[in-house]
């Protein structure tokens, strides 16, 4: 095997950003060799080396994000409000949700190379740009609000330590010197945010170095807290002042509480829930509100993922580091809750959120821990928000709106994204209180976690061969459990906020879907659709087909779409939710060609389908003749039970084709005109030639003999056939919109074989097929106001009224609404008999009259074992005079008042003798001359029934 032979195709490989040297996704299907080449290029590129290891890049940021507000400022709040039982239950529920999400994160992150953006990058590359972009915005807002939450928690701790009492008088020797109040707290929060901004502008590396020092401090503080529960003697603690409660006539709450040390009575008093008023906001607490505050201590699991663009090996570091941090924090939270419940009065837990400082062996140490951990968490979320915003901008999902956010410094730091994130955090700080925004932050994070689980679930259900993560400790069950858990908790916390967040996300999804350019990331929806379509196609059993559920499934042969825009759009209306395939035959021999010439043509055809706004597939084939190519397509088009049952051809005539794809004066209104600002992809279709060959007007690529042979082949294969003439004159939009009234649009149906004047049957299989197609067209919304006109040709001596009533009764049984008109055609028939002579004046035999019988149980006039009708040929096809055909043509034109939008005519079977094919085609030409848009239709299968 050659060294350059592609061995595998990665769905996610990597290349190097020319500006920053970061990993970027390559979803165009590069080979392993190309990926290795990119890797070598990356290793040689030293403009921005990635230095962060698992411990420094994932474990430390995750631990510091989780050990922040909750562990130092809200652990007593949770135990005091909920009791130990519900606290442990809350942690179990919260960690169950995040554990399911962590498993999904680990699976996705080990399935390919990760770039900057963390969870946004995972979701967008797995679910596509719509879900990725909308949830990326939600995750960005979650990080913004979370950063503000941590800063407000830090301000709360600063005011509790250094803030002046309510009377404004600081005790002698006290450190309480800072003014307190809403605007002063906002000023302190703004200053802290500016400090975070300066660190983030320097870059992620300085944050990583600073975070390690903060991590050491936090671990030291935690160690002293656990030691203090054993080393500190029981004591009485002065409680901070509470906000006044409106309409409170009860006793005033105490201003003192006790740290009792380990006592059984204290533990028993803290086991059950006792929800009370939050002294910082004055609102009554509940399980949902407390869970919202507590869950913020669990939202740091994405801190390591947010640093994915700065990690040495993100696919390895993110799973190991995140799982380690989650297990460690779970153990610490539960141990701390147990010790608090055993040693602190309920009043102390409910009325003093900084009590850990008062019971520590050295009070300032806890203050340092609170300040450092909350500062670190705030910076972590600010950096995470900026990286997500930068990734969104770089992916161009919102166009020029985020173009400025792409700017980076010389070392790759997205400083504009940092400034934009800082500005939004500053706006959130105006809320003023931590518990106020806790619910919003929690709901945002739950929504993102559910999306990560959904992304992993979609990849698992799609069964894509390239989804093979090295982390295997997950199943679709864990993904579903994570999604359900997130959804339930969102509704329990605040159903209004949850609904508003989901609605906002869906709005963003729709905006991105309609406004953003097509991406090359791959769409999980395509994989899921393929999986489901394959499953249901296997269930679609052709042996269970029934005439009641018949629908047209059309193969339209097109030689050159430039002249067939009108026909293509018309057949799209007549398909009635059935299969619609645009077929094309390219003449050539693959043995003499270096490669398949059709592969490069599909893009033009698919672009045509998009711009005509039709629901059609494209099937191209290479053959030595058009006849063989059509046979190929009739044999192989479709799949399973979805195969074409009707072949539509353009008519073989000498009409000059008109290009409706380039000439705006001729273009169908459904096709955008070629103006200077038209951004359509160019159509690589050949220029038109001056004549029509029945395949769309690309010159005489076949003769009349071959054309009729194509018709005969389709009928042998039991395919219905329709020949479309003059549809180059058809403009769908102008035809439908030009009708002044609801009933000013007409569709004319002539269900009689006009080439067989000796047989005036209008209830054979072919006639009923005409009626069915006309009815299908009338059921389309755009054609619903059209009126069907059914013309019944009768001869002198037959009851005009009786024939009309009989046909009307038939239409009533078939539930077809149409106006029946009887048309005497004695003069035209007389011209026929003059040519035939007296011997040809035989009336229809008893056998032919039986074709006018009743309705079958399965279909109308269904023949036994395939029927003799399909294989019978007109015996007098060569004896029809031009005078007769011209007279019938004039008869049809005389009935066109007002003129119809389209006519449906009966198409006879081609003659058995192939030598008469040219004469047969000439007869059809005379019959339909100057009729306007006309379909000559031949049906071979029953399509109507009166059964339920």
């Amino acid at each position: 095997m050659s060294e350059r032979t592609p061995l595998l195709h990665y769905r996610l490989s990597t290349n190097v950003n020319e500006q920053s040297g970061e990993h970027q996704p390559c979803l165009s299907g590069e080979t392993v060799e190309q990926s290795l080449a990119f890797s070598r290029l990356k290793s040689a590129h030293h403009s921005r080396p990635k230095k962060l290891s698992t411990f420094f890049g994932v474990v430390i940021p995750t631990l510091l994000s989780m050990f922040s507000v909750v562990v130092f400022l809200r652990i007593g709040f949770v135990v005091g409000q909920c009791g130990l039982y519900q606290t442990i239950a809350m942690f179990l529920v919260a960690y169950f949700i995040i554990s399911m999400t962590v498993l999904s994160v680990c699976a996705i992150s080990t399935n390919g190379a990760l770039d900057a953006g963390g969870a946004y990058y995972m979701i967008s590359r797995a679910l596509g740009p719509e879900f990725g972009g909308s949830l990326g915005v939600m995750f960005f807002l979650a990080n913004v609000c979370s950063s503000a939450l941590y800063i407000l928690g830090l301000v709360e701790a600063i005011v509790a330590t250094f803030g002046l009492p309510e009377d404004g008088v600081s005790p002698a020797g006290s450190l309480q010197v800072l003014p307190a109040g809403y605007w002063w707290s906002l000023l302190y929060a703004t200053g802290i945010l500016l400090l975070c901004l300066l660190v983030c502008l320097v870059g992620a590396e300085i944050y990583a170095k600073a975070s390690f020092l903060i991590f050491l401090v936090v671990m030291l503080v935690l160690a002293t807290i656990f030691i203090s529960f054993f080393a500190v003697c029981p004591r009485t603690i002065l409680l901070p002042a509470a906000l006044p409660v409106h309409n409170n006539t009860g006793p005033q709450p105490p201003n003192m509480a006790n740290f009792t040390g380990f006592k059984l009575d204290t533990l028993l008093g803290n086991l059950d829930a006792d929800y009370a008023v939050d002294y910082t906001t004055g609102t009554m607490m509940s399980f949902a509100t407390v869970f919202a505050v507590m869950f913020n201590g669990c939202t740091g699991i994405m801190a390591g993922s947010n640093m994915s663009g700065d990690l040495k090996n993100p696919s390895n570091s993110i799973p190991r580091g995140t799982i380690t941090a989650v297990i460690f924090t779970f153990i610490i939270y539960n141990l701390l809750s147990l010790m608090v419940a055993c040693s602190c009065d309920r009043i102390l837990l409910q009325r003093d959120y900084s009590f850990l400082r008062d019971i520590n062996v050295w009070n300032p140490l806890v203050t340092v821990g609170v300040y450092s951990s909350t500062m670190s968490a705030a910076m972590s979320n600010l950096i995470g928000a900026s990286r997500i915003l930068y990734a969104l901008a770089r992916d161009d999902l919102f166009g020029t709106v985020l173009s400025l956010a792409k700017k980076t410094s010389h070392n790759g730091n997205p400083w504009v994204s940092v400034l934009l994130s800082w500005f939004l955090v500053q706006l959130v700080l105006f809320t003023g209180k931590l518990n106020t925004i806790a619910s919003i932050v929690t709901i945002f994070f739950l929504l993102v976690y559910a999306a990560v689980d959904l992304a992993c679930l979609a990849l698992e259900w799609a069964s894509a061969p390239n989804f093979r993560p090295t982390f295997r400790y997950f199943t679709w069950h864990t993904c579903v459990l994570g999604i359900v858990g997130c959804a339930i908790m969102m509704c329990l916390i605040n159903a209004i906020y949850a609904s508003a967040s989901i609605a906002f996300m869906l709005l963003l999804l729709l905006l991105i879907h309609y406004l953003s350019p097509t991406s090359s990331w791959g769409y999980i929806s395509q994989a899921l659709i393929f999986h489901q379509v394959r499953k249901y196609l296997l269930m679609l059993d052709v042996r269970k087909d029934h005439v009641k559920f018949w629908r047209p499934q059309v193969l339209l042969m097109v030689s050159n779409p430039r002249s067939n825009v009108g026909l293509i759009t018309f057949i799209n209306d007549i398909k009635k939710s059935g299969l619609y395939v645009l077929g094309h035959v390219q003449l050539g021999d693959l043995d003499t060609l270096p490669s398949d010439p059709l592969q490069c043509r599909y893009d033009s055809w698919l672009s045509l389908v998009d711009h005509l706004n039709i629901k059609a597939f494209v099937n191209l084939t290479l053959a030595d003749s058009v006849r063989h190519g059509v046979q190929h397509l009739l044999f192989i088009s479709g799949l399973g039970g979805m195969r074409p049952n009707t072949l539509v051809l353009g008519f073989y005539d000498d009409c000059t084709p008109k290009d409706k794809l380039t000439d705006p004066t001729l273009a169908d209104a459904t096709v955008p005109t070629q103006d200077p600002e038209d951004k359509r992809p160019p159509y690589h279709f050949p220029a038109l030639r001056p004549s029509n060959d029945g395949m769309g007007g690309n010159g005489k690529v076949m003769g009349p003999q071959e054309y009729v042979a194509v018709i005969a082949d389709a009928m042998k294969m039991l395919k219905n056939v329709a020949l479309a003439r003059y549809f180059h004159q058809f403009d769908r939009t102008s035809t439908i919109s030009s009708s002044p009234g609801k009933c000013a649009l007409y569709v004319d149906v002539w269900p009689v074989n006009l080439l067989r004047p000796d047989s005036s049957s209008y209830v054979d299989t072919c006639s009923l097929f005409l009626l069915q197609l006309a009815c299908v067209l009338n059921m389309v919304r755009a054609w619903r106001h059209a009126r069907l006109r059914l013309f019944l040709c009768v001869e002198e001596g037959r009851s005009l009224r009786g024939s009309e009533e009989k046909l009307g009764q038939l239409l009533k049984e078939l539930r077809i609404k149409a106006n029946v008109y009887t048309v005497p055609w004695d003069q035209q028939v007389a011209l026929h008999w003059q040519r035939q002579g007296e011997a040809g004046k035989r009336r229809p035999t008893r056998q032919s009259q039986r074709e006018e019988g009743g309705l079958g149980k399965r279909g109308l006039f269904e023949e036994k074992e395939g029927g003799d009708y399909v294989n019978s040929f007109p015996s007098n096809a060569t004896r029809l005079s031009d005078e007769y055909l011209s007279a019938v043509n004039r008869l049809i034109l005389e009935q066109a008042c007002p003129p119809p939008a389209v006519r449906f005519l009966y198409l006879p079977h081609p003659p058995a003798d192939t030598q008469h094919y040219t004469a047969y085609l000439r007869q059809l030409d005379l019959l339909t001359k100057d009729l306007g848009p006309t379909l000559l239709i031949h049906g071979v299968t029953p399509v109507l029934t009166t059964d339920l």
Side-chain angles (χ1 to χ4, degrees), residues 184-200:
W184 284 107
S185 296
L186 179 62
L187 179 62
Y188 304 149
T190 302
I192 295 170
L193 180 58
L194 283 174
L195 181 60
C196 294
L197 174 65
L198 292 176
V199 175
C200 294

Side-chain angles (χ1 to χ4, degrees), residues 312-393:
K312 287 181 181 178
N313 187 1
S315 297
N316 181 56
S317 298
I318 290 175
R320 295 175 60 187
T322 305
I323 292 175
T324 301
V326 167
I327 294 175
F328 184 75
T329 56
F330 179 75
I331 295 172
I332 295 299
Y333 276 140
N334 282 278
L335 283 177
L336 197 55
S337 299
L338 178 62
M339 291 188 174
V340 165
C342 291
S343 59
C344 298
D345 281 348
R346 174 85 69 170
I347 295 297
L348 176 63
L349 300 178
Q350 291 180 344
R351 290 286 313 281
D352 187 0
Y353 298 157
S354 303
F355 74 97
L356 289 177
R357 179 197 60 204
D358 299 324
I359 66 172
N360 198 268
V361 290
W362 190 47
N363 296 358
L365 195 59
V366 175
T367 303
V368 173
V370 172
Y371 294 173
S372 57
S373 63
T374 50
M375 176 73 77
S376 173
M379 286 190 292
S380 174
N381 281 272
L382 184 59
I383 288 180
S386 66
R387 296 307 189 268
I388 296 168
L389 184 61
Y390 172 65
L392 284 167

Side-chain angles (χ1 to χ4, degrees), residues 5 49 89 116 272 367 385 511 610 635 700 829 862:
T5 302
D272 298 321
T367 303
L511 287 175
D610 292 338
F635 277 125
K700 294 293 186 181
V829 173
E862 182 180 357

Side-chain angles (χ1 to χ4, degrees), residues 200-236:
C200 294
L201 286 176
V202 174
E205 294 179 10
I206 187 65
Y207 163 71
K209 294 176 181 178
S211 63
F212 178 65
L213 297 176
I214 295 174
F215 172 75
L216 294 178
V217 172
V218 170
M219 291 299 102
L220 176 62
V221 173
L222 279 176
T224 61
I225 287 175
F226 282 106
I227 293 173
S228 299
F229 284 113
F230 297 93
V232 175
C233 299
R235 62 181 62 177
T236 301

Side-chain angles (χ1 to χ4, degrees), residues 561 568 603-613 661 683 685:
I568 293 172
D603 283 347
S604 291
W605 284 84
L606 294 175
S607 297
L608 176 74
V609 168
D610 292 338
H611 284 283
L612 291 178
N613 195 25
L661 289 182
Y683 297 116
F685 300 125

